Amino acid sequence: MKVAVPREIKNNEFRVAITPAGVHDLVGNGHEVFIETGAGTGSSIPDERYRAAGATILPDAASTWAAGQMVLKVKEPVASEFGFFRDDLVLFTYLHLAAEEELTRALLASGVTAIAYETVQLPSRALPLLAPMSEVAGRLAPIVGANAMLKPNGGPGLLVPGVPGTHPAKIAILGGGVAGTAAMQVALGLGAEVTVLDTNLFRLRELDALHYGRVKTIASNSFEIDKAVVDSDMVIGSVLIPGAKAPKLVSNEMVSRMRPGSVLVDIAVDQGGCFADSHPTTHADPTFTVHNSLFYCVANMPGAVPNTSTYALTNATLPYVRSVANRGWADALRADAALALGLNTFRGAVINEPVANAHSLPHRDLADALA
């Protein structure tokens, strides 16, 4: 199979969808790999390393997209890339289509077979291709939040760990999944007073057993969310419903009662965000003000640490990429139920039901698409 990897063009997105080790693996399995020149530069991977691993370096995006039977990306395509879509193309990337109606309709109009990293789901309900980036975003969230809390950045001038004789910052984390747990670990390491809210009592018991005495675990409901949010200096939103829009847990009215200068970091903004006033921002302009609080809603947080993120992502995606390349996308999906759940669009139809529901579109059954 011909596998192509274009350069990411989203604002301050420096990740790349494959490493030289991944190229070496695919070439060793008899496939051709095409890399757009400069695609790995932001992740400190020069063209020469890809070339040495067996890749062909192409001069621009148009030739790279055209060369691939399967195109690998990190972030969802932007409008300037829609013209590269075609009906014999397999696109394997993060898509977040429930929050991307324009992209969804462009994929349908072009007939692209689109497989989304974030909806590949194991029988345990784990999301293996979302997990590494959730870990990165989760660990970043308290760090960027702590930076936003500095007075020159619009925050209250509060040092998260405090110093002897002063209070540390109070951080509430909504969701105890992969991202929430990663955020909790770093927040604890920074010396904050941490509260985690989740609807899953079994998960809360696990967190309590691991961090007894250091983290508060609270069963999540509207009353407890209100109480925790209003009492916090920083709120980190990390809730996720696979493939669907994130639930809105923090209202505008709730934010109006928060302490002036409080910071809200929305890790779920890729899926529409879990705060009512969330909207995607960029690394170049990451925050905006709601009432007297500061929102950080960068939609590609792991792009700030591309070297770590690129290697972590490829570690997770490569086995699935290899399977699709070796078997063809249809046989690979038939053989792997987890990968099959990644199929979002096919021949002009939406296959993922939450995406169809988000945009009031008809839904085609997965089994029918794979028949």
Side-chain angles (χ1 to χ4, degrees):
M1 179 178 282
K2 295 180 178 180
V3 180
V5 180
R7 181 173 57 86
E8 299 293 325
I9 61 174
K10 195 163 187 175
N11 178 280
N12 279 278
E13 180 53 74
F14 301 113
R15 290 174 289 180
V16 61
I18 200 166
T19 61
V23 171
H24 184 270
D25 183 286
L26 292 176
V27 171
N29 277 271
H31 308 295
E32 295 180 76
V33 181
F34 301 89
I35 309 283
E36 182 182 350
T37 184
T41 302
S43 295
S44 304
I45 307 173
D47 289 349
E48 292 71 26
R49 288 184 59 195
Y50 284 121
R51 191 178 286 113
T56 299
I57 306 300
L58 295 179
D60 52 35
S63 60
T64 306
W65 280 82
Q69 295 167 288
M70 174 167 60
V71 166
L72 303 180
K73 278 179 52 60
V74 177
K75 288 303 294 176
E76 66 277 359
V78 299
S80 62
E81 296 173 300
F82 294 174
F84 300 134
F85 293 171
R86 60 182 197 272
D87 61 7
D88 62 345
L89 179 69
V90 176
L91 176 63
F92 197 14
T93 185
Y94 288 117
L95 287 171
H96 301 290
L97 293 183
E100 293 281 351
E101 184 172 1
E102 184 184 7
L103 172 58
T104 302
R105 295 189 182 278
L107 291 169
L108 297 180
S110 60
V112 170
T113 299
I115 305 170
Y117 293 159
E118 75 276 3
T119 61
V120 174
Q121 187 171 18
L122 300 174
S124 65
R125 297 177 62 87
L127 304 170
L129 304 188
L130 191 62
M133 295 302 94
S134 295
E135 289 170 337
V136 172
R139 292 189 179 196
L140 270 176
I143 296 171
V144 298
N147 185 61
M149 292 176 76
L150 302 180
K151 195 66 176 179
N153 296 333
L158 180 64
L159 180 65
V160 169
V163 295
T166 69
H167 291 286
K170 294 182 177 179
I171 298 180
I173 300 170
L174 308 181
V178 174
T181 299
M184 177 202 70
Q185 291 168 337
V186 171
L188 288 172
L190 289 174
E193 182 181 317
V194 182
T195 300
V196 177
L197 298 94
D198 200 291
T199 56
N200 186 336
L201 294 179
F202 179 76
R203 182 60 186 150
L204 294 180
R205 290 190 184 98
E206 289 181 327
L207 295 176
D208 181 72
L210 290 170
H211 303 281
Y212 182 72
R214 297 190 64 208
V215 60
K216 297 178 184 176
T217 56
I218 303 295
S220 183
N221 54 58
S222 58
F223 178 86
E224 294 292 354
I225 290 172
D226 187 298
K227 182 179 177 182
V229 166
V230 173
D231 190 45
S232 294
D233 301 297
M234 185 193 307
V235 177
I236 297 172
S238 62
V239 294
L240 174 72
I241 301 172
K245 284 189 175 182
K248 300 293 187 183
L249 301 181
V250 177
S251 67
N252 178 278
E253 187 276 332
M254 208 180 293
V255 174
S256 72
R257 291 185 278 117
M258 295 182 71
R259 283 191 278 271
S262 55
V263 172
L264 297 94
V265 181
D266 197 341
I267 298 174
V269 71
D270 275 329
Q271 291 290 114
C274 57
F275 308 145
D277 294 288
S278 290
H279 62 77
T281 60
T282 66
H283 291 289
D285 188 16
T287 61
F288 58 93
T289 301
V290 176
H291 295 295
N292 293 311
S293 295
L294 203 61
F295 277 52
Y296 181 101
C297 298
V298 174
N300 58 327
M301 286 177 64
V305 285
N307 189 280
T308 297
S309 297
T310 287
Y311 282 90
L313 180 61
T314 300
N315 289 342
T317 59
L318 185 58
Y320 294 97
V321 172
R322 186 193 306 121
S323 178
V324 172
N326 286 348
R327 307 173 69 120
W329 74 267
D331 281 348
L333 268 60
R334 292 187 192 106
D336 187 340
L339 180 58
L341 292 175
L343 186 62
N344 276 220
T345 69
F346 170 63
R347 289 185 180 172
V350 178
I351 308 303
N352 182 280
E353 189 170 2
V355 170
N357 293 340
H359 303 307
S360 301
L361 291 167
H363 160 251
R364 183 176 178 184
D365 188 71
L366 174 62
D368 178 48
L370 295 179

